[in-house]
Amino acid sequence: MRIGFGYDVHRLVEGRSLVLGGTEIPYDQGLAGHSDADVLLHAVADALLGAAALGDLGAHFPDTDADWEGADSQVLLQQVTQKVRDAGYTPHNVDITVLLERPKLRPHVGEMRTNVATALSCPRDRVSVKATTTEELGFVGREEGVAAQAVCTIQPA
């Protein structure tokens, strides 16, 4: 069994959709980024890549590559999952925490779990998604951005 940790952060801006865990969340701001800026899925992808010692998301999908502009992060996560499988491992479980003040994510957690499980080709009961505030502290607390942390385990295929 191997363990990986991932972290991502993006700024909140007007004029973009807020996509988290492959789910579009109704909100007046979205996340700035080269792709759809889904911090939740980016953190999961980095955790998987780290567990398999395959580098990080930017090494595989650089923000300087026009092919990935506006990319759906679910597609990126599926490709990362395949890279992990090609390296001889299979995802076992993932635990994700999203840090944001607003909006509340609880109504969307079920769909997010399903989306992650589908991308990883693993049972939904092995995917945990949680959200927390930072009690109005830091860039998250000032509602300038959203962060996500993920830890995963992978096992030999």
Side-chain angles (χ1 to χ4, degrees):
M1 188 76 64
R2 295 176 75 152
I3 299 170
F5 175 78
Y7 174 82
D8 195 33
V9 61
H10 284 274
R11 285 181 299 111
L12 280 164
V13 296
E14 295 196 11
R16 295 268 305 207
S17 295
L18 179 60
V19 179
L20 295 169
T23 301
E24 190 166 333
I25 311 294
Y27 195 56
D28 60 352
Q29 292 182 306
L31 296 171
H34 186 66
S35 67
D36 63 9
D38 189 329
V39 294
L40 186 156
L41 296 184
H42 293 181
V44 173
D46 265 344
L48 289 167
L49 289 167
L54 295 174
D56 63 25
L57 196 60
H60 295 273
F61 309 100
D63 63 7
T64 56
D65 187 339
D67 289 343
W68 303 114
E69 188 169 352
D72 181 338
S73 293
Q74 289 182 94
V75 172
L76 300 179
L77 183 55
Q78 289 167 349
Q79 290 189 24
V80 164
T81 300
Q82 188 58 53
K83 290 175 187 293
V84 169
R85 290 184 189 285
D86 291 346
Y89 298 97
T90 185
H92 182 263
N93 79 306
V94 63
D95 182 22
I96 309 149
T97 302
V98 180
L99 297 92
L100 79 168
E101 292 298 316
R102 293 181 302 128
K104 296 296 183 194
L105 296 186
R106 188 170 316 230
H108 310 284
V109 164
E111 183 178 347
M112 293 177 194
R113 289 180 65 206
T114 298
N115 292 342
V116 173
T118 298
L120 301 183
S121 297
C122 77
R124 185 175 182 265
D125 67 356
R126 293 185 186 175
V127 176
S128 172
V129 175
K130 306 174 305 293
T132 189
T133 69
T134 60
E135 301 295 329
E136 300 180 2
L137 297 172
F139 73 90
V140 170
R142 292 187 301 270
E143 298 184 38
E144 296 170 1
V146 177
Q149 302 171 341
V151 62
C152 73
T153 57
I154 61 174
Q155 57 192 14

